[in-house]
Amino acid sequence: PSQVLTMFPALLLVLAAVARAVDRSKFRKCETTRFCRVHRDAAEVPTYAVEASSLAMSDGQVSLGLVAAGCASAPRLEATIDALTMGVLRLRIVEAGATTPRWEPSDILLSSTFETEAQTLTTTETGATLSSSAGVVELTYAPFSLAYRVDGEVLVEVNSKQLLHYETKKSAACFISGNGKGEGGSTGGTATTTTPAEAEEDDCLAGEAWNGEECLEIVGYWEDGLARFEDGSKEVKRSTKEEAPPLELGNEADEASLDFSESFGGHKDEVVNGPSSVGLDVTFPGSDGFYGLAEHATSFKLKSTRTAYKEPYRFYNLDVFEYELDEPMALYGSIPLAWSLSSEKGRVTGVYWHNPSETYVDVDGTGLRWLSESGVIDLFLILPGGGSGGGKKQDLLAPPTTTLAKFARLVGAQELPPIFALGYHQCRWNYKDEKDVSVVHGNFEDLDIPFDVLWLDIEHTDGKRYFTWDDALFPNPAEMQKNLTKTGRKMVTIVDPHIKRDSKYAIHSEAEKLGLYVKDKHLKDFDGWCWPGSSSYLDFTSPKVRDWWASRFALENYQGATLDLHVWNDMNEPSVFNGPEVTMAKDCLSLEGVEHREWHNLYGYYFSRATSEGLALRGATHAATPWKGARPFVLTRSFFSGSQRWGAVWTGDNAAKWDHLEIAAPMLLTLSICGFAFSGADAGGFFGDPDAELFARWIQAAAFTPFFRGHAHHDAKRREPWSFGEPWTQRIRAAIAERYSWLPYWYSLFALSRFSGEPVMRPLWAQYPADLKTIALEDQWLVGPDLLVKPATKAGASTVEVYFPDKSAWFATTSSDSGSGSGSGGAAYVGPLLATVPASLDAPTPTFQRAGSILPRRRRLRRSTKAMKRDPYEFVVALLQDDDDHAVTASGALFLDDQETFAFRDADAFAWAVTTFTKDRLTHEVFLGPDLPPFLDADVARALGLLSPMEGTNVDPDLTAALGDTIERLIVYGLQAPPTEVTLNLNPAGGNSQQDQGNSARSLTFKWVDKVLTIRKPDAPVGQPWTISFAFEKTES
């Protein structure tokens, strides 16, 4: 009797209006999740000890057996310990002799056998010591624990609280919860759930649901997970109380008699294979705080889950409609990575829990406790500093960014975006038709507002059938895209993973025929509800399915698409409106017969991967040479560790509120230090209507975040940059233009991230870890190491408080802020300093350039990144005065390639231009690929998939053109006095000659105003070595 929602178009607006806040009763907590409820506060747990006779070493890997005391049915475990050359310790624990090994993903980590260090094993009666150049691991036999020690100091402890558990169906009865009586006298998983309405004795018939008064026929479901009726009303959940079957704990039991089923929200999970949870504690003595655990709408510095929160941080990718702030509940993505900061030592240490099943993490004091529903224990301890390969001792003094970068060597680096993706994106649910698209495009043109991408949401399709167009609204999609392309713009369309069950829909009929869909527990194609109504879901864990999906993006398959069409993957948690917690049931099956509970958090990862690979295949197919395939752009909502390899992410359905503007920074900082560099939040907020001030402030702030998109719900008022009229249009235009002027720096930072793994958007402690005042800062951040950003995020603000860290000096980048005038050479702000600075609505976001840096910009206002491609550069030199030796220095780097294709990866068609100032001379060097500048490590780059060119590559003309771009202006801050002469020395032969080379020398014109030196039209090529010398009047000492 159910009908597709889209058969009732008038109903859609009603449905959207009645569902406007998160219904927390739809989502489980620890107390309604068996494995968390039983194990989080268990009073008695088995403890494990090492079988001393099992301790062995082979090829540098240490292996050992673990046996449990106090539970005869607990499995014997096998553990291995590896010291990886990158400066990471790996601990794996699996069940010994398991008939069927537990499922693990085989393609998330970059390698299954990372290069390891040689270890020396020394044993005693009570333990053992594992020594390598990375440090010392002390192993205690009984009870089992590990301690990593460097120079006598313990940095990390594993299982020091004896919380290791490895649950099986046989051993489940051994675990006793905190009340001493176990799970209400049972091991059963069924928990009591309550909902607002009163229970009725009789259930509604199939195809019906309760509206609070009576059972009505269901016409569809909505994103809040509730049924909808033809009159526009929604389902009212009824109270239920379901008791678990009794079982006395602590005794052996007949496996067949145990019932581990769980019921929640009207859905029952049979758990036919029994419980299989795992858990472990990790402690960081001396920790000043923890960070990471993306994604949650919480503060950047993690809060205690025993005091500040009553719930652990949860990882279970979900479509949370209008999520609340300051809550550790699960959101769209999962990266189970945490960092511990020790400010006294100025370093960070990481722990990565490689497990894609549902996971809870307790944070308390100096420790973390991990609990996962299934899988194995695969723990990576990311040690401070650089790697320890080749016998080198672990460098504990390396900056935190070096440590943060190591995660990329485990799961992959952020892919280098095409330059257009770093511009401004304009989106709305939905631009109505081709005329609407044309009007929006035309207004950007007429008002001289830069933008690069226009987006279409689900309404562009034929009845939510992806890879199609609504013929009435978008009759000429290819021509529409070409009109954008003429001005250098691109288009993005949404493609979600739910496939409308319609035999006349080619995508569905072919997928059904080939058997590509996820199965339900009865081995039939899973049927769930999403935007199209009744839908099937492709099994993206299967390489065969991913290959098929990738081929859908070929131009001959995606009719109406062009090479300038890119893709947005939404609803890929996956979102199932009528499923438990608005997602797929855990007992659904992959094509290999693996339960969904094992790979739930990977669904979005594999979906965006398949999409990205499809666009890459399309680009390679139409490339002039195999190594010039266009880089794809894919935006995903759901993700797991390593999703950064496939595109960008945004923080989901936020709201047009000031507190949502404020939470954007800590959420993006968390994503950044968890490896996802290309991240952003919808500027202006998705739900609701911002006023002009909030919208302008959000655009100003978002202009300094990695992914920059304006987006709005279909119920929201139109809010393009001109929607509020003047003076707001000019203010927003200026903010977007400011973003475009910094694109050379942004692009170079993304290249640095691709080559090294370093984050793009950074917390201040990443550069200044010894400054205690940076520990809790989350309302200001660094773009790379050299640009400090502090937006105004409060209504009515005209100033902001900016903290400048200890042992640093900064110059304001905007003329509206003249600074305090303190510091050497005119540096406006010298840390440590808390300063009040102007934050006018008529000026860009307050930003500050670090003294000691040289940053590239392009100042000419253009309509798009394509129009800027051959524009000259401005180099901004901010000099650092060293108080010890009075040296004045600065340095910076610019990355050069074609900005569009994989030639940088597949043909080494790239260059790094490095500029330094020392001894009154500006020196410019060029490192052509595969050569790298000193700040990059070739071994790391190769580990990240670079410096391995295809055969038959040759000179890239696009790179040659980029090398010929010139510098039209040099701005120099920090000189004590104006020079008497400035001379450019072209040096085609390379090197750093200290002698002028005949007629290659040319005097440059300059002016000196307010201690700022401006050198106009040096016309020095960025792709050629040169020097600029400064002569000064001699002063008497």
Side-chain angles (χ1 to χ4, degrees):
S2 298
Q3 300 182 64
V4 177
L5 251 181
T6 50
M7 295 177 63
F8 299 90
L11 185 59
L12 292 175
L13 295 179
V14 178
L15 301 188
V18 297
R20 275 300 176 86
V22 63
D23 179 1
R24 298 173 70 176
S25 69
K26 291 187 309 180
F27 302 107
R28 289 185 294 117
K29 298 181 178 181
C30 183
E31 64 184 11
T32 50
T33 307
R34 181 206 168 271
F35 77 90
C36 184
R37 181 174 65 252
V38 169
H39 294 285
R40 188 187 187 206
D41 293 309
E44 299 178 26
V45 296
T47 58
Y48 281 87
V50 177
E51 291 179 318
S53 61
S54 70
L55 193 63
M57 176 177 284
S58 177
D59 295 328
Q61 182 183 76
V62 175
S63 60
L64 52 95
L66 296 170
V67 292
C71 182
S73 58
R76 181 181 181 276
L77 305 178
E78 291 179 345
T80 56
I81 303 170
D82 290 290
L84 309 186
T85 55
M86 67 181 79
V88 173
L89 292 178
R90 184 180 191 180
L91 170 67
R92 274 181 58 82
I93 302 177
V94 300
E95 183 179 354
T99 304
T100 303
R102 297 190 179 192
W103 186 85
E104 299 179 69
S106 61
D107 52 2
I108 304 300
L109 298 173
L110 289 188
S111 173
S112 59
T113 56
F114 293 102
E115 184 180 355
T116 59
E117 283 281 319
Q119 298 186 85
T120 301
L121 176 63
T122 305
T123 62
T124 68
E125 290 185 0
T126 59
T129 300
L130 317 176
S131 302
S132 70
S133 56
V136 174
V137 177
E138 296 176 345
L139 168 65
T140 301
Y141 290 161
F144 163 69
S145 67
L146 297 174
Y148 171 70
R149 189 184 298 272
V150 174
D151 296 333
E153 178 189 358
V154 175
L155 269 64
V156 192
E157 297 173 337
V158 177
N159 204 41
S160 60
K161 298 178 182 178
Q162 298 305 305
L163 296 177
L164 165 64
H165 84 266
Y166 207 99
E167 189 177 25
T168 64
K169 196 170 185 178
K170 287 184 177 181
S171 67
C174 295
F175 297 93
I176 301 177
S177 65
N179 60 16
K181 296 181 181 179
E183 176 55 38
S186 80
T187 57
T190 307
T192 299
T193 61
T194 58
T195 49
E198 301 213 352
E200 293 289 317
E201 296 202 3
D202 296 323
D203 290 333
C204 294
L205 298 175
E208 296 182 339
W210 184 250
N211 76 341
E213 296 179 355
E214 60 181 331
C215 294
L216 296 178
E217 183 180 8
I218 298 170
V219 299
Y221 293 85
W222 196 252
E223 197 171 1
D224 59 5
L226 299 176
R228 292 304 197 271
F229 309 112
E230 190 170 0
D231 63 1
S233 62
K234 65 177 179 177
E235 176 185 9
V236 175
K237 287 289 187 180
R238 293 174 292 171
S239 299
T240 60
K241 186 171 184 178
E242 307 168 45
E243 296 296 339
L247 175 70
E248 183 180 353
L249 289 183
N251 299 318
E252 299 298 322
D254 178 8
E255 287 185 56
S257 69
L258 302 181
D259 179 8
F260 295 101
S261 62
E262 292 191 72
S263 293
F264 182 82
H267 300 273
K268 188 172 184 178
D269 178 11
E270 299 289 352
V271 197
V272 294
N273 296 319
S276 57
S277 66
V278 294
L280 192 64
D281 60 277
V282 183
T283 303
F284 297 83
S287 175
D288 291 311
F290 293 101
Y291 307 83
L293 302 184
E295 176 184 46
H296 298 91
T298 59
S299 60
F300 180 48
K301 184 181 179 183
L302 300 176
K303 295 180 180 180
S304 169
T305 55
R306 296 293 184 175
T307 55
Y309 299 138
K310 301 304 180 185
E311 281 286 310
Y313 290 88
R314 186 185 182 206
F315 287 120
Y316 194 65
N317 296 356
L318 294 171
D319 178 0
V320 182
F321 190 80
E322 276 207 331
Y323 56 81
E324 293 185 5
L325 308 185
D326 199 25
E327 286 287 339
M329 65 189 297
L331 282 181
Y332 310 103
S334 300
I335 304 179
L337 167 71
W339 299 99
S340 168
L341 173 64
S342 174
S343 187
E344 180 183 359
K345 301 293 183 179
R347 63 190 180 213
V348 295
T349 308
V351 53
Y352 173 54
W353 178 261
H354 185 55
N355 189 311
S357 69
E358 182 182 4
T359 297
Y360 288 87
V361 186
D362 265 313
V363 179
D364 194 37
T366 60
L368 303 167
R369 198 269 184 90
W370 306 81
L371 287 170
S372 289
E373 181 181 17
S374 190
V376 304
I377 293 175
D378 198 358
L379 187 79
F380 293 84
L381 299 176
I382 305 173
L383 308 177
S388 54
K392 295 185 298 183
K393 185 177 180 180
Q394 187 73 11
D395 179 14
L396 297 181
L397 298 179
T401 49
T402 303
T403 310
L404 297 173
K406 291 181 185 179
F407 185 56
R409 295 171 67 181
L410 295 176
V411 300
Q414 175 71 60
E415 188 53 85
L416 179 61
I419 188 69
F420 78 82
L422 299 181
Y424 178 65
H425 300 246
Q426 184 62 49
C427 185
R428 178 177 177 81
W429 179 19
N430 200 83
Y431 288 116
K432 296 179 291 187
D433 50 29
E434 290 180 2
K435 181 180 178 181
D436 198 7
V437 168
S438 179
V439 169
V440 171
H441 181 202
N443 282 339
F444 274 100
E445 285 283 287
D446 294 343
L447 295 169
D448 291 329
I449 301 173
F451 93 106
D452 263 79
V453 191
L454 195 143
W455 294 52
L456 295 180
D457 211 316
I458 55 177
E459 312 304 336
H460 82 278
T461 63
D462 175 15
K464 314 300 188 299
R465 297 168 180 87
Y466 302 109
F467 300 98
T468 69
W469 304 84
D470 185 317
D471 289 339
L473 302 177
F474 298 92
N476 300 297
E479 188 66 26
M480 173 180 62
Q481 294 162 61
K482 289 176 183 176
N483 288 334
L484 287 169
T485 303
K486 289 175 184 177
T487 58
R489 274 72 181 239
K490 313 286 185 181
M491 177 165 274
V492 165
T493 53
I494 196 167
V495 179
D496 291 346
H498 45 262
I499 305 300
K500 182 180 180 67
R501 293 169 69 99
D502 176 1
S503 61
K504 296 180 181 180
Y505 176 28
I507 295 287
H508 169 68
S509 58
E510 185 173 346
E512 186 177 50
K513 178 181 178 181
L514 295 172
L516 304 182
Y517 286 133
V518 172
K519 309 302 178 186
D520 63 21
K521 63 183 178 182
H522 303 296
L523 301 184
K524 296 181 179 180
D525 288 349
F526 172 71
D527 183 357
W529 275 72
C530 207
W531 297 127
S534 179
S535 303
S536 293
Y537 292 74
L538 292 158
D539 176 16
F540 289 103
T541 68
S542 166
K544 177 181 73 172
V545 175
R546 293 200 299 272
D547 289 344
W548 178 84
W549 180 258
S551 70
R552 300 305 92 198
F553 293 95
L555 296 185
E556 61 268 26
N557 291 329
Y558 193 169
Q559 295 294 313
T562 70
L563 294 177
D564 291 306
L565 184 69
H566 296 260
V567 178
W568 172 17
N569 285 162
D570 196 3
M571 315 298 287
N572 52 336
E573 293 73 28
S575 180
V576 182
F577 292 170
N578 62 335
E581 298 194 88
V582 200
T583 192
M584 191 179 289
K586 287 186 174 183
D587 53 11
C588 286
L589 299 169
S590 71
L591 298 184
E592 292 186 351
V594 180
E595 283 194 312
H596 178 228
R597 77 182 73 251
E598 305 285 352
W599 44 267
H600 171 83
N601 287 340
L602 293 175
Y603 193 83
Y605 172 98
Y606 284 127
F607 179 49
S608 61
R609 172 181 175 173
T611 301
S612 181
E613 289 176 337
L615 294 181
L617 178 64
R618 183 191 73 180
T621 301
H622 294 272
T625 61
W627 44 274
K628 286 283 282 184
R631 281 175 250 161
F633 170 72
V634 176
L635 181 73
T636 184
R637 187 170 72 174
S638 184
F639 57 89
F640 190 70
S641 312
S643 285
Q644 62 269 14
R645 296 166 62 190
W646 315 114
V649 68
W650 93 108
T651 59
D653 297 343
N654 58 2
K657 300 177 181 178
W658 286 96
D659 57 352
H660 277 254
L661 168 57
E662 290 181 280
I663 201 67
M667 291 182 74
L668 298 181
L669 284 169
T670 297
L671 284 163
S672 294
I673 65 169
C674 288
F676 220 140
F678 199 11
S679 58
D682 283 339
F686 177 65
F687 289 111
D689 296 309
D691 61 21
E693 182 188 10
L694 174 56
F695 186 63
R697 286 303 196 191
W698 210 320
I699 291 289
Q700 289 176 347
F704 288 94
T705 61
F707 176 58
F708 185 23
R709 180 179 78 156
H711 186 33
H713 190 272
H714 62 58
D715 280 350
K717 297 176 183 177
R718 295 294 287 252
R719 63 166 94 128
E720 286 75 33
W722 52 86
S723 297
F724 295 96
E726 296 294 355
W728 302 100
T729 300
Q730 169 55 28
R731 289 164 171 167
I732 293 166
R733 177 196 297 113
I736 296 174
E738 185 76 0
R739 163 62 168 232
Y740 276 74
S741 76
W742 285 109
L743 283 180
Y745 181 53
W746 278 106
Y747 191 66
S748 298
L749 288 173
F750 272 99
L752 175 65
S753 183
R754 182 64 180 86
F755 277 74
S756 70
E758 290 192 14
V760 172
M761 181 178 178
R762 309 176 180 186
L764 268 68
W765 57 250
Q767 301 294 145
Y768 305 96
D771 188 334
L772 285 169
K773 292 183 179 179
T774 67
I775 289 177
L777 281 179
E778 62 179 21
D779 59 354
Q780 62 182 73
W781 62 87
L782 296 171
V783 176
D786 299 324
L787 203 61
L788 191 156
V789 180
K790 177 61 184 282
T793 57
K794 299 287 187 183
S798 59
T799 61
V800 291
E801 297 290 316
V802 184
Y803 180 70
F804 299 93
D806 193 18
K807 298 181 181 179
S808 70
W810 303 81
F811 296 89
T813 65
T814 58
S815 59
S816 64
D817 178 16
S818 58
S820 64
S822 62
S824 60
Y829 301 98
V830 179
L833 175 68
L834 181 64
T836 301
V837 303
S840 170
L841 276 163
D842 294 308
T845 287
T847 54
F848 308 86
Q849 182 175 340
R850 183 184 63 84
S853 66
I854 301 174
L855 302 185
R857 302 184 73 170
R858 275 178 162 152
R859 288 285 198 170
R860 299 183 183 184
L861 179 63
R862 302 292 194 184
R863 56 163 58 113
S864 65
T865 55
K866 187 172 184 178
M868 299 170 63
K869 192 164 187 177
R870 296 278 73 89
D871 278 356
Y873 292 92
E874 173 184 286
F875 277 17
V876 184
V877 182
L879 299 175
L880 175 66
Q881 178 82 45
D882 191 306
D883 292 334
D884 294 331
D885 59 10
H886 304 289
V888 180
T889 59
S891 63
L894 172 68
F895 181 75
L896 302 167
D897 76 334
D898 65 17
Q899 300 185 340
E900 297 175 359
T901 78
F902 283 114
F904 80 95
R905 183 193 70 188
D906 295 336
D908 289 337
F910 67 86
W912 286 93
V914 179
T915 311
T916 56
F917 185 98
T918 183
K919 297 182 179 179
D920 298 338
R921 184 182 295 267
L922 201 61
T923 301
H924 188 78
E925 299 176 273
V926 180
F927 298 83
L928 283 172
D931 292 341
L932 297 179
F935 58 81
L936 290 174
D937 187 315
D939 289 336
V940 171
R942 276 188 284 269
L944 296 176
L946 302 173
L947 309 184
S948 299
M950 293 180 175
E951 293 184 4
T953 58
N954 49 39
V955 175
D956 180 13
D958 293 315
L959 175 61
T960 301
L963 294 171
D965 292 341
T966 60
I967 301 168
E968 68 174 344
R969 186 183 302 107
L970 283 165
I971 308 293
V972 183
Y973 294 93
L975 289 173
Q976 298 295 315
T980 57
E981 187 176 10
V982 179
T983 304
L984 170 67
N985 235 353
L986 290 177
N987 185 10
N992 299 318
S993 171
Q994 299 298 305
Q995 303 294 324
D996 290 351
Q997 298 185 5
N999 57 15
S1000 67
R1002 177 165 58 89
S1003 293
L1004 303 178
T1005 59
F1006 60 89
K1007 68 176 183 178
W1008 173 263
V1009 178
D1010 294 332
K1011 291 189 175 183
V1012 177
L1013 179 70
T1014 302
I1015 304 171
R1016 297 189 180 277
K1017 296 190 179 300
D1019 295 330
V1022 294
Q1024 181 178 327
W1026 46 258
T1027 61
I1028 293 179
S1029 302
F1030 298 80
F1032 296 91
E1033 288 186 0
K1034 294 183 178 180
T1035 58
E1036 296 182 5
S1037 57

